């Protein structure tokens, strides 16, 4: 079950502490910690509450992949091939996303394109 990873990722994405989430969900911090460490499983009621709290679906909370939809604003700004690539990437499970990123790195090396990571954001360094 990917719930533990998704809960923690969403909490970090929105810069929330376990205490903050616990307070707003009427749960204890140790309950949130138990969910994130896979020592506890949430009730159906709490799953729906987490989905409402983070504005995601229950399917997303339980899935090991990102949603396969994108916002209308994103869709308008992307070329068709980039849009298709994004949709297909988001459907992949985490394991395959990592494999794909390794393959892309190999292709970049073969083509002489270097990608540097600085401050958490990739920037292309084309020779």
């Amino acid at each position: 079950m990917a719930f533990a990873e998704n809960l923690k990722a969403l909490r970090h994405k929105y810069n929330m502490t376990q205490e903050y989430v616990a307070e707003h969900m009427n749960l204890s911090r140790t309950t949130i910690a138990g969910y994130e460490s896979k020592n506890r499983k949430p009730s159906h009621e709490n799953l729906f509450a987490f989905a409402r709290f983070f504005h995601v679906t229950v399917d997303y909370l339980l899935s090991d992949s990102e949603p396969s939809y994108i916002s209308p604003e994103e869709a308008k700004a992307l070329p068709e091939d980039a849009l298709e690539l994004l949709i297909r990437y988001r459907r992949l499970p985490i394991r395959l996303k990592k494999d794909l990123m390794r393959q892309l790195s190999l292709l970049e090396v073969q083509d002489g394109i270097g990608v540097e990571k600085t401050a958490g954001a990739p920037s292309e360094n084309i020779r």
Side-chain angles (χ1 to χ4, degrees):
M1 179 162 100
F3 174 74
E5 293 87 5
N6 289 337
L7 174 60
K8 190 171 188 175
L10 285 167
R11 189 172 59 74
H12 286 165
K13 177 180 178 180
Y14 295 109
N15 297 315
M16 297 177 184
T17 63
Q18 288 179 341
E19 292 84 4
Y20 181 87
V21 174
E23 181 181 322
H24 286 80
M25 295 286 299
N26 277 336
L27 300 168
S28 70
R29 189 208 58 80
T30 56
T31 298
I32 302 299
Y35 291 157
E36 290 183 1
S37 65
K38 301 181 185 177
N39 291 329
R40 296 185 70 146
K41 293 183 181 180
S43 66
H44 289 101
E45 180 181 286
N46 281 344
L47 274 175
F48 284 101
F50 277 114
R52 283 190 304 274
F53 182 73
F54 286 110
H55 303 285
V56 296
T57 64
V58 172
D59 286 344
Y60 173 78
L61 286 173
L62 298 176
S63 172
D64 67 350
S65 62
E66 294 178 44
S68 60
Y69 63 86
I70 64 168
S71 71
E73 295 79 25
E74 284 179 299
K76 289 177 188 174
L78 291 174
E80 189 173 327
D81 60 342
L83 180 61
E84 180 183 355
L85 183 62
L86 177 61
I87 290 170
R88 292 175 70 184
Y89 173 82
R90 287 183 173 176
R91 288 180 185 153
L92 294 174
I94 292 169
R95 176 184 52 81
L96 293 179
K97 287 178 183 176
K98 290 177 182 177
D99 289 346
L100 178 60
M101 295 308 291
R102 281 192 288 276
Q103 290 296 320
L104 285 173
S105 294
L106 290 173
L107 289 171
E108 290 168 339
V109 169
Q110 287 175 354
D111 202 37
I113 300 171
V115 177
E116 297 175 21
K117 287 188 178 180
T118 57
S123 63
E124 285 191 15
N125 182 14
I126 301 175
R127 294 188 249 171

